[in-house]
Amino acid sequence: MKVKRSQRLIDMTRYLMEHPHTLIPLPFFVHRYESAKSSISEDITILKRTFSENGMGTLKTIPGAAGGSIFIPSIQYDEASGFINKMKTELNDSSRYISGGYLYMTDILSHPSVVRNVGRIIISQYVNQKIDYVMTMATGGISIAEMVASYLNVPFVVARHESKITDGSTINVNYISGSSDRINRMVLSKRSLPPKSNVLIVDDYMKGGGTISGLAALIKEFDCHLAGVSVFAEDNYNGKRAFDFDYTSLIKVNIDQKHINVSDGNYVQNIFNQ
Amino acid sequence: MKVKRSQRLIDMTRYLMEHPHTLIPLPFFVHRYESAKSSISEDITILKRTFSENGMGTLKTIPGAAGGSIFIPSIQYDEASGFINKMKTELNDSSRYISGGYLYMTDILSHPSVVRNVGRIIISQYVNQKIDYVMTMATGGISIAEMVASYLNVPFVVARHESKITDGSTINVNYISGSSDRINRMVLSKRSLPPKSNVLIVDDYMKGGGTISGLAALIKEFDCHLAGVSVFAEDNYNGKRAFDFDYTSLIKVNIDQKHINVSDGNYVQNIFNQ
């Protein structure tokens, strides 16, 4: 049975949102809705304009026999900075201080609505880059890694301090925690990451950068390529960071004598400098 | 500027998908699109019918001044069983055998498209229940917990074997791993779960049920209520399970002398018995 335009647009929106970064050939929709090619083409034009206007992202259309449409999610700067300001307000709260000079933010990163926005902001920085895998360290970064992977429609891999029996054989690296000078180990299942993959590192919090440099070493060991590094929060760290490549952060946390001050991360500055 | 119906339907679909289980008052959309109340009401009717027909879930409408619409995602049985069959085929592969009698499935649960379907199947079993939190054990269950939490629009909490410094104070329970008779510890940050919450436990794999019974003990310690237990895979375990409450599983794994056999979990049987 032929499907009406209104119903097609609803279903196409849903389908594209659930299949980002995937080329959907025009005939797929033609067949799905038993509608004429010309009608589907018009639908795509409407979707393209609306996705762009409401800031969801870009609906790229590729002409030709092998063509189709690809939804590339992103976020507009206004929405991103509104979200970052909200995070700053929520985290600037002395009751979040944890002895030892840490900030409690697990609750924030347990809210899917928050992680969704973190994910959208991170992926919007890599719209023109090929990313095959998202990588993080257990356990703090997993929720961000999964959401970023979900928007990019690629798998995510999780390094751990200890291997699990279900990992099978693993590749291990030792790294020095930048902020505490302790030696840590990081393991990743050998099966989890094919060589030559482009890997985006994400994490919840970065202090000295030891974890990030460990993950980067792991990427090298797997004969893969580092595509970028994005963290939710970076510490206003005074020492020398354990790595020297670029990274982006959404917020910057300064903890001085139990006093918490949260400011913009370099993501905001980078946008302004563009 | 007034927004056209086609654009409204696209944006409303997106908005509702990003805000499941949230009451959206009619005036919110009226204002957002500068459109007449009657037009928005018609939009809602179209969305309601389409969501139901394409198996996305239910768009509930609540009349009256305090009313509005709530999107409750779910999955239709055909789509769910198609997905479960695909999982069975993919996991029925002797190269997935890991010495010690384990099944390698980390790669499967690292694909957002897979976890999305696991999430939709799990939440469709709890559409009429109040769930405030989703709980799991680090690290295998985190990706499922986040996706389930995302569809329910509630936070998720992660118990660990060891506390992290950023947890602050924790509540700990000891539990016996059902399959290996070892005593393990499970910790959860005190701040992470308010009393009286209704908590849904999810996990990737269940063998003897020790982890599940530990999580249930933790729920009790926090003065909360167990709302349900759902796992992706259960082992075809011969011994007595460490808990005696109901659970659901999507698939059942039988490993006999390096031979792997994956069959339907009790979710499929429960649906047929309804």
Side-chain angles (χ1 to χ4, degrees):
Chain A
M1 198 195 65
K2 248 181 84 170
V3 177
K4 274 192 189 168
R5 162 145 300 149
S6 56
Q7 288 169 283
R8 288 200 308 262
L9 290 174
I10 294 167
D11 191 68
M12 286 164 99
T13 302
R14 172 241 184 170
Y15 192 88
L16 291 163
M17 282 177 75
E18 286 184 348
H19 299 82
H21 286 270
T22 309
L23 180 76
I24 320 287
L26 203 63
F28 174 84
F29 287 129
V30 168
H31 177 80
R32 187 175 172 98
Y33 307 124
E34 299 180 22
S35 300
K37 219 170 154 174
S38 57
S39 309
I40 300 292
S41 287
E42 281 170 42
D43 295 345
I44 298 280
T45 306
I46 298 168
L47 286 160
K48 196 174 178 147
R49 199 178 54 231
T50 310
F51 282 14
S52 150
E53 281 172 7
N54 72 7
M56 279 173 72
T58 310
L59 188 62
K60 253 174 126 171
T61 45
I62 292 163
S69 34
I70 307 177
F71 171 46
I72 298 168
S74 61
I75 194 167
Q76 280 175 341
Y77 180 66
D78 282 359
E79 197 182 346
S81 71
F83 168 76
I84 290 172
N85 284 333
K86 219 181 111 198
M87 287 297 102
K88 287 185 330 202
T89 311
E90 224 165 307
L91 291 168
N92 256 326
D93 171 355
S94 59
S95 76
R96 292 191 166 275
Y97 177 81
I98 292 175
S99 44
Y102 292 90
L103 176 69
Y104 182 75
M105 53 178 212
T106 310
D107 58 334
I108 296 277
L109 293 178
S110 306
H111 269 280
S113 56
V114 169
V115 187
R116 212 176 276 142
N117 280 323
V118 174
R120 286 177 67 207
I121 296 177
I122 290 178
I123 54 142
S124 69
Q125 303 169 44
Y126 300 96
V127 282
N128 294 316
Q129 244 169 293
K130 185 164 162 39
I131 292 167
D132 306 306
Y133 281 83
V134 178
M135 180 189 255
T136 195
M137 179 77 192
T139 53
I142 299 181
S143 66
I144 295 176
E146 178 176 15
M147 201 58 88
V148 167
S150 170
Y151 279 116
L152 294 175
N153 204 27
V154 299
F156 61 95
V157 294
V158 180
R160 294 182 176 81
H161 287 303
E162 300 291 335
S163 68
K164 294 198 307 175
I165 197 155
T166 46
D167 279 342
S169 57
T170 58
I171 290 181
N172 307 348
V173 299
N174 292 315
Y175 67 101
I176 296 168
S177 160
S179 49
S180 70
D181 275 343
R182 259 190 335 197
I183 293 184
N184 286 311
R185 198 169 58 145
M186 196 177 266
V187 310
L188 185 63
S189 167
K190 259 180 120 167
R191 308 191 189 207
S192 62
L193 193 59
K196 311 290 174 209
S197 305
N198 295 295
V199 185
L200 172 65
I201 294 176
V202 301
D203 211 351
D204 56 341
Y205 201 87
M206 175 175 71
K207 214 167 181 175
T211 305
I212 304 291
S213 88
L215 290 169
L218 213 43
I219 289 173
K220 231 175 174 174
E221 284 300 323
F222 276 83
D223 202 13
C224 289
H225 173 70
L226 175 65
V229 178
S230 283
V231 299
F232 172 62
E234 68 168 305
D235 192 280
N236 187 20
Y237 184 67
N238 281 323
K240 189 177 158 9
R241 283 243 157 81
F243 63 88
D244 57 5
F245 34 81
D246 285 345
Y247 67 90
T248 70
S249 62
L250 271 56
I251 55 169
K252 190 174 229 166
V253 178
N254 191 24
I255 301 179
D256 189 14
Q257 315 249 6
K258 303 197 181 185
H259 180 78
I260 289 168
N261 183 273
V262 182
S263 55
D264 287 331
N266 65 19
Y267 160 78
V268 178
Q269 292 143 23
N270 293 349
I271 291 278
F272 275 119
N273 293 340
Q274 262 171 16
Chain B
M1 199 195 65
K2 248 182 82 170
V3 177
K4 274 191 188 167
R5 161 146 301 148
S6 55
Q7 288 170 284
R8 289 201 307 262
L9 290 174
I10 295 167
D11 191 68
M12 285 164 98
T13 302
R14 171 240 184 170
Y15 192 89
L16 291 163
M17 281 177 74
E18 287 184 347
H19 300 82
H21 285 272
T22 308
L23 181 75
I24 319 287
L26 203 63
F28 173 84
F29 287 130
V30 168
H31 177 79
R32 187 175 172 98
Y33 307 123
E34 299 181 21
S35 300
K37 220 171 155 171
S38 57
S39 309
I40 301 292
S41 287
E42 281 170 42
D43 295 344
I44 298 280
T45 306
I46 297 168
L47 285 161
K48 196 174 178 147
R49 197 178 55 229
T50 310
F51 282 14
S52 151
E53 281 172 6
N54 73 6
M56 280 173 73
T58 309
L59 187 61
K60 252 176 128 169
T61 44
I62 293 162
S69 35
I70 306 177
F71 171 46
I72 297 168
S74 61
I75 195 167
Q76 280 174 343
Y77 180 66
D78 281 358
E79 198 182 345
S81 69
F83 169 75
I84 290 172
N85 284 334
K86 218 182 112 196
M87 288 297 103
K88 286 185 332 202
T89 309
E90 223 164 309
L91 291 169
N92 256 326
D93 172 354
S94 59
S95 76
R96 293 191 165 275
Y97 177 80
I98 292 176
S99 44
Y102 293 89
L103 177 68
Y104 182 74
M105 53 177 212
T106 310
D107 57 335
I108 297 277
L109 293 178
S110 306
H111 269 280
S113 55
V114 169
V115 187
R116 213 176 276 138
N117 280 322
V118 174
R120 286 178 66 207
I121 295 177
I122 290 178
I123 55 142
S124 68
Q125 304 169 42
Y126 300 96
V127 282
N128 294 317
Q129 243 169 295
K130 187 165 161 34
I131 292 166
D132 306 306
Y133 281 83
V134 178
M135 180 189 255
T136 195
M137 179 74 189
T139 54
I142 299 181
S143 67
I144 295 176
E146 178 176 14
M147 201 59 87
V148 167
S150 170
Y151 280 116
L152 294 175
N153 205 25
V154 300
F156 62 96
V157 294
V158 180
R160 292 181 178 81
H161 287 302
E162 300 292 334
S163 68
K164 293 198 309 174
I165 196 154
T166 47
D167 279 340
S169 57
T170 58
I171 289 180
N172 307 347
V173 299
N174 292 315
Y175 68 100
I176 295 169
S177 160
S179 49
S180 70
D181 273 343
R182 259 192 333 200
I183 293 184
N184 286 311
R185 198 170 58 143
M186 196 178 266
V187 310
L188 185 63
S189 168
K190 259 180 119 167
R191 308 190 189 205
S192 63
L193 193 60
K196 311 290 174 212
S197 305
N198 296 295
V199 184
L200 172 65
I201 294 176
V202 300
D203 211 351
D204 56 341
Y205 201 87
M206 176 175 71
K207 212 165 181 173
T211 305
I212 303 291
S213 89
L215 289 169
L218 213 43
I219 289 173
K220 230 176 176 173
E221 284 301 323
F222 276 82
D223 202 15
C224 289
H225 172 68
L226 175 65
V229 178
S230 283
V231 299
F232 172 63
E234 68 168 305
D235 190 281
N236 187 20
Y237 184 68
N238 281 321
K240 189 175 158 11
R241 283 245 157 79
F243 63 89
D244 56 6
F245 34 81
D246 285 344
Y247 68 90
T248 70
S249 62
L250 271 58
I251 56 169
K252 190 173 229 168
V253 178
N254 191 24
I255 301 179
D256 189 14
Q257 315 250 9
K258 303 196 181 184
H259 180 78
I260 290 168
N261 182 273
V262 182
S263 55
D264 286 332
N266 65 19
Y267 161 78
V268 179
Q269 293 143 22
N270 292 348
I271 290 277
F272 275 118
N273 293 341
Q274 259 172 18

